[in-house]
Amino acid sequence: MSRRSTILAAVLSLAPVFSAASIAMPMGGSFTGRVDSQTPQVLGPNEVKLRQTASGINTGPGTPLDGAQVQWVETVTLKNGQGPVEGTITFTTPGGSTSSRYKGTVTTDGQGRVTASGTYRDGPATGEFAGTKGNGTFSLAYSSKTEFAGQWQGEVTLPGQKSSKR
């Protein structure tokens, strides 16, 4: 090691280093929700476009989103009970909020049970969640015409915390 490298290493080891390093980690949760409003638009025989909002609660013990209030705003286009869904889900806690865009597929089976699954990508966030990035999958099932439950999981990078390294 050269003298210059040795001096540089010594100076760096004495000075505090601030790191905003963020680490991607698996994260997930479960949610329950209830449709708050629904606006149907008939597109044709057995085809309808629904714009709906819903609200609920997220649970994810040990995660920053445990107990978060959840809001959904989405559009579902169904032909014979099947079709695409896309929208935005927002999790809000006392410390901030984070929103994700999602896309997926809604399926209705022969007994009338409605399920959905798809993918999400994190978007705008505020407060302690500002800078959050991630993506993953979700699935849900309706237990009535207005109530549903589901889960999500993915890789999330939370904003780094400044820390001193000595």
Side-chain angles (χ1 to χ4, degrees):
M1 188 189 274
S2 72
R3 180 171 184 207
R4 182 175 176 192
S5 299
T6 304
I7 293 171
L8 180 58
V11 169
L12 289 175
S13 70
L14 294 174
V17 177
F18 292 97
S19 172
S22 300
I23 299 171
M25 62 182 177
M27 187 181 296
S30 299
F31 52 81
T32 56
R34 179 176 183 81
V35 174
D36 296 323
S37 69
Q38 194 175 69
T39 307
Q41 176 187 2
V42 176
L43 300 176
N46 298 315
E47 188 173 8
V48 63
K49 179 185 264 186
L50 299 168
R51 287 190 175 87
Q52 64 183 26
T53 63
S55 58
I57 299 287
N58 183 73
T59 56
T63 73
L65 297 174
D66 187 26
Q69 297 291 316
V70 186
Q71 285 290 137
W72 290 265
V73 177
E74 65 185 16
T75 301
V76 183
T77 305
L78 300 174
K79 183 163 185 141
N80 297 318
Q82 323 297 319
V85 59
E86 63 180 67
T88 302
I89 184 172
T90 302
F91 297 86
T92 303
T93 70
S97 68
T98 181
S99 295
S100 300
R101 296 278 306 149
Y102 61 89
K103 290 183 178 187
T105 303
V106 174
T107 304
T108 306
D109 70 13
Q111 288 74 43
R113 293 179 293 230
V114 178
T115 59
S117 62
T119 60
Y120 72 86
R121 178 166 303 285
D122 290 335
T126 65
E128 67 185 5
F129 301 112
T132 298
K133 295 180 182 176
N135 60 66
T137 61
F138 71 90
S139 62
L140 64 85
Y142 276 78
S143 57
S144 74
K145 290 184 179 195
T146 59
E147 298 193 21
F148 57 92
Q151 55 193 355
W152 62 274
Q153 61 186 17
E155 289 288 321
V156 177
T157 302
L158 297 173
Q161 298 294 318
K162 288 188 177 183
S163 62
S164 109
K165 183 177 181 182
R166 298 174 191 225

